Amino acid sequence: MKKIAILASGSGTNAEKIMEYFQHSPKGKIVLVASNKKDAFVLERAKKFDVPTFTFTKSEMESGELTKKLQSLRVDLVVLAGFLLKVTDDLIQKFPDRIVNIHPALLPNYGGKGMYGDKVHQAIKEAGDTETGITIHMVNEHYDEGKIIFQAAVAIAPEDTPAQIAAKVHLLEHKYFPNVIESLL
């Protein structure tokens, strides 16, 4: 049974779907939900699944506290699910090819520093794109440039608002992210 840790900064809808999925998986178990925000709703979602939580500051992450916590639990895979801080080089070196992220667009489009959540959906709307999607990728030292593992697309209509685009993308995230994570174990 592989051990999975989820890092999230916000409400945690993806994290909840992942925790729900792995309640019954013979391949993996969620052993920790960690957040850089003490009031992130993802921490409440973790309680529903009896998953331990851990909070940390950016400076604690940079000093290696998060890395030490993950190592102490012998985590096999780190999953970023709406985690808004740049992962430290130390964490990447200690978990090589074992940190996976989901991005709400078809990379390499709409990736990079500052491109997350509603900012991505707004940029897609402004560009007049006819499709968007999700990209699940490994994490490296550069924002959204790690090896792409999986992509799924969805059509968007000219009249779709950024909120409607976001809703379509969330459906893809919830449908595919847990399965792709399990395939990595």
Side-chain angles (χ1 to χ4, degrees):
M1 177 81 66
K2 300 289 185 175
K3 295 180 180 180
I4 303 164
I6 299 172
L7 305 187
S9 298
S11 72
T13 58
N14 271 321
E16 182 169 18
K17 291 293 183 188
I18 295 163
M19 288 184 279
E20 185 179 288
Y21 183 90
F22 281 97
Q23 277 187 309
H24 309 291
S25 172
K27 292 179 78 175
K29 177 181 180 177
I30 309 302
V31 297
L32 183 71
V33 169
S35 181
N36 60 306
K37 298 192 183 245
K38 292 186 186 311
D39 61 348
F41 194 69
V42 70
L43 301 170
E44 293 301 314
R45 292 181 195 273
K47 289 178 186 175
K48 283 184 6 184
F49 296 93
D50 294 321
V51 173
T53 61
F54 176 71
T55 58
F56 57 92
T57 64
K58 183 178 179 182
S59 62
E60 288 170 333
M61 184 174 83
E62 290 169 348
S63 70
E65 291 301 310
L66 176 61
T67 303
K68 288 176 192 163
K69 178 71 171 177
L70 297 173
Q71 287 179 308
S72 74
L73 293 171
R74 296 190 173 141
V75 168
D76 297 293
L77 186 68
V78 179
V79 175
L80 308 185
F83 186 64
L84 300 182
L85 294 179
K86 187 172 189 295
V87 175
T88 61
D89 289 349
D90 175 61
L91 187 60
I92 292 167
Q93 290 164 5
K94 297 286 192 319
F95 292 88
D97 297 320
R98 294 189 295 143
I99 306 172
V100 64
N101 185 37
I102 190 164
H103 187 75
L106 297 170
L107 291 174
N109 298 329
Y110 306 104
K113 185 175 182 176
M115 291 303 288
Y116 58 89
D118 291 338
K119 293 178 181 187
V120 173
H121 308 308
Q122 183 66 43
I124 289 166
K125 172 68 178 170
E126 289 173 5
D129 289 1
T130 58
E131 77 171 4
T132 189
I134 60 168
T135 301
I136 300 169
H137 65 94
M138 298 310 290
V139 173
N140 65 15
E141 294 82 6
H142 306 285
Y143 283 108
D144 301 323
E145 291 184 16
K147 177 185 170 200
I148 292 173
I149 299 164
F150 177 85
Q151 289 185 309
V154 63
I156 48 178
E159 64 273 11
D160 283 348
T161 65
Q164 289 169 316
I165 295 169
K168 290 179 178 185
V169 169
H170 286 310
L171 289 174
L172 293 178
E173 291 172 341
H174 297 166
K175 179 178 180 179
Y176 292 110
F177 202 17
N179 292 319
V180 172
I181 292 166
E182 187 174 52
S183 76
L184 295 172
L185 299 178

